[in-house]
Amino acid sequence: MKVTAKEISKQLGVSIATVDRVLNNRANVSEKMRKRVLEKAEEMGYVPNRMASILSRKVTFHVAVVYKEYPAYFWEQIETGIGQAELELRDYGVTVHRFRLPVEAFTESPERIQEILADDTIDAVAIAALGDAISPYLKASKKPICTFNVDAQNSGRLFYVGCDYYSSGRLAAELVAKLVPAQGKVGVLLGGNHDYQAREKLQGFREGLEEFRLELCKAVRLGESDLPFQPGQQWQKEMASLDGLYVATAELGNVAEFFSKYPKHQVAALVGHDMNDLIYKHLRTQMIAATITQDPVSQGYLAIKKLFSLMVLEDEDAKQSTITKLEIVMKNNASYYT
């Protein structure tokens, strides 16, 4: 059983208030009494309630969470997790400041991120570190920083919360290999940024295909001019006559929607990532064979909780990075992920 201040006070024959003052390192207690209480607490195996101590100390802890605007549906799921953590920790002095920025802020124009890092009212930062361009700014900052969703391994960050993208790419390759015929032609659609996430997915996918003796015939990078999708775009010509297509960017639902309107472009096995209404629709129609979810709610939630545990509770175990689970979603289990 957990030892309480009340039980210690009974053993010593002193008031609960006196024991509480000692255990919480408050004034108005003699050194002799302080020593008696601490010795009895150690003898009885008392373990401090850190959360109660934080309440009594009226701690304040301001966290900035920095992430992209696009794709909106994915970051809204991340925000659900952020909100859950904020609600749980609100009474312990935690305030979360959300900064949802355009992609250029992570690649070409990092001034806004520099401002956040320099803000003296912010105690710690959780950032989805898209683009290698911001790593020097993270490394130069004196603030405690964690990365989530996208890592920046050479930035000096404390820990990472998110997906193992290499494993994600390999899992996509395994799915495609099980869905296309032997010697089938396989392609991959990538996003416009050749960042850490994209590199890891592509490497994992290539190596996964090799394991199943399939060749990656086409790897096409989508640009801004390709959105929205219209007939006759270059990516469609590059993807012609494929049996399997891995959409390694946030456009899985839009690719499926395009294929549904222009059937001549369809592939036998279309796989990708995440879940939203459009992806769910095309899982049900089987235009999408499967999608791989990356537990975005946990990514937002754990980034905040682990920063709090490390910086406020001084729990060194929180420094360990957390890799979120990958789950395969198909037509018949899709409803559990909406």
Side-chain angles (χ1 to χ4, degrees):
M1 288 180 63
K2 186 175 181 179
V3 177
T4 65
K6 183 177 180 181
E7 290 164 341
I8 295 171
S9 72
K10 282 183 179 179
Q11 289 284 321
L12 292 173
V14 300
S15 70
I16 296 174
T18 297
V19 174
D20 183 72
R21 282 197 292 272
V22 173
L23 295 178
N24 289 288
N25 199 28
R26 297 195 189 99
N28 301 321
V29 183
S30 71
E31 284 305 310
K32 183 178 179 180
M33 177 59 70
R34 188 179 300 279
K35 184 179 179 182
R36 281 186 66 203
V37 170
L38 291 176
E39 286 177 350
K40 180 57 69 173
E42 183 177 1
E43 176 190 317
M44 296 177 68
Y46 172 76
V47 177
N49 185 332
R50 290 181 177 180
M51 300 301 275
S53 175
I54 290 165
L55 281 174
S56 68
R57 288 188 282 125
K58 293 183 170 54
V59 169
T60 60
F61 186 61
H62 291 260
V63 182
V65 189
V66 186
Y67 50 103
K68 290 192 302 173
E69 294 175 338
Y70 173 84
Y73 74 83
F74 182 82
W75 294 106
E76 285 165 5
Q77 293 168 32
I78 292 273
E79 284 180 331
T80 297
I82 293 170
Q84 289 175 1
E86 184 177 24
L87 186 62
E88 288 181 20
L89 298 175
R90 184 172 55 194
D91 291 340
Y92 300 98
V94 175
T95 302
V96 176
H97 305 269
R98 295 172 174 83
F99 298 91
R100 195 163 175 174
L101 306 178
V103 67
E104 293 78 14
F106 297 85
T107 54
E108 302 165 9
S109 306
E111 293 84 7
R112 186 67 185 102
I113 291 174
Q114 288 178 271
E115 290 174 7
I116 295 166
L117 293 172
D119 188 340
D120 290 337
T121 66
I122 299 296
D123 298 305
V125 177
I127 184 166
L130 174 72
D132 299 326
I134 65 167
S135 288
Y137 304 109
L138 301 182
K139 197 167 187 176
S141 175
K142 295 180 181 178
K143 292 190 188 303
I145 296 170
C146 78
T147 55
F148 71 102
N149 184 253
V150 186
D151 198 8
Q153 293 180 316
N154 298 317
S155 65
R157 50 80 168 155
L158 293 169
F159 59 82
Y160 165 66
V161 176
C163 176
D164 178 340
Y165 291 104
Y166 174 80
S167 295
S168 188
R170 286 190 71 96
L171 182 56
E174 183 176 354
L175 278 171
V176 170
K178 293 180 184 302
L179 294 166
V180 303
Q183 310 303 315
K185 295 180 179 179
V186 178
V188 58
L189 276 179
L190 300 158
N193 293 300
H194 192 52
D195 59 10
Y196 171 78
Q197 179 185 133
R199 293 193 300 269
E200 290 290 294
K201 281 182 180 177
L202 182 57
Q203 183 180 351
F205 189 65
R206 282 186 188 278
E207 294 181 10
L209 288 179
E210 288 174 7
E211 182 181 328
F212 292 97
R213 297 187 178 136
L214 287 171
E215 182 182 353
L216 180 58
C217 298
K218 295 287 183 180
V220 176
R221 195 168 299 282
L222 294 172
E224 290 185 15
S225 61
D226 295 313
L227 302 173
F229 296 141
Q230 299 292 335
Q233 292 171 321
Q234 183 62 32
W235 73 271
Q236 297 151 27
K237 299 172 186 176
E238 296 282 347
M239 297 289 110
S241 303
L242 291 178
D243 299 294
L245 176 60
Y246 169 38
V247 181
T249 183
E251 298 299 329
L252 177 62
N254 290 325
V255 170
E257 184 74 2
F258 176 82
F259 286 168
S260 71
K261 293 177 180 177
Y262 304 98
K264 72 175 185 176
H265 295 283
Q266 290 178 16
V267 296
L270 177 63
V271 303
H273 292 283
D274 306 328
M275 176 64 78
N276 62 16
D277 291 343
L278 197 54
I279 293 171
Y280 177 73
K281 168 188 169 182
H282 287 299
L283 282 166
R284 299 294 296 167
T285 65
Q286 295 187 281
M287 184 66 65
I288 297 172
T291 187
I292 302 167
T293 62
Q294 304 168 86
D295 204 2
V297 174
S298 290
Q299 292 184 31
Y301 175 83
L302 291 172
I304 305 301
K305 289 295 293 277
K306 284 166 66 68
L307 272 177
F308 174 79
S309 293
L310 179 60
M311 304 310 302
V312 180
L313 298 182
E314 299 178 347
D315 179 4
E316 289 295 309
D317 289 342
K319 275 188 178 178
Q320 297 296 318
S321 293
T322 300
I323 303 302
T324 52
K325 61 188 175 182
L326 300 172
E327 294 184 321
I328 297 169
V329 183
M330 304 179 80
K331 176 182 177 181
N332 287 303
N333 69 334
S335 61
Y336 296 104
Y337 292 85
T338 56

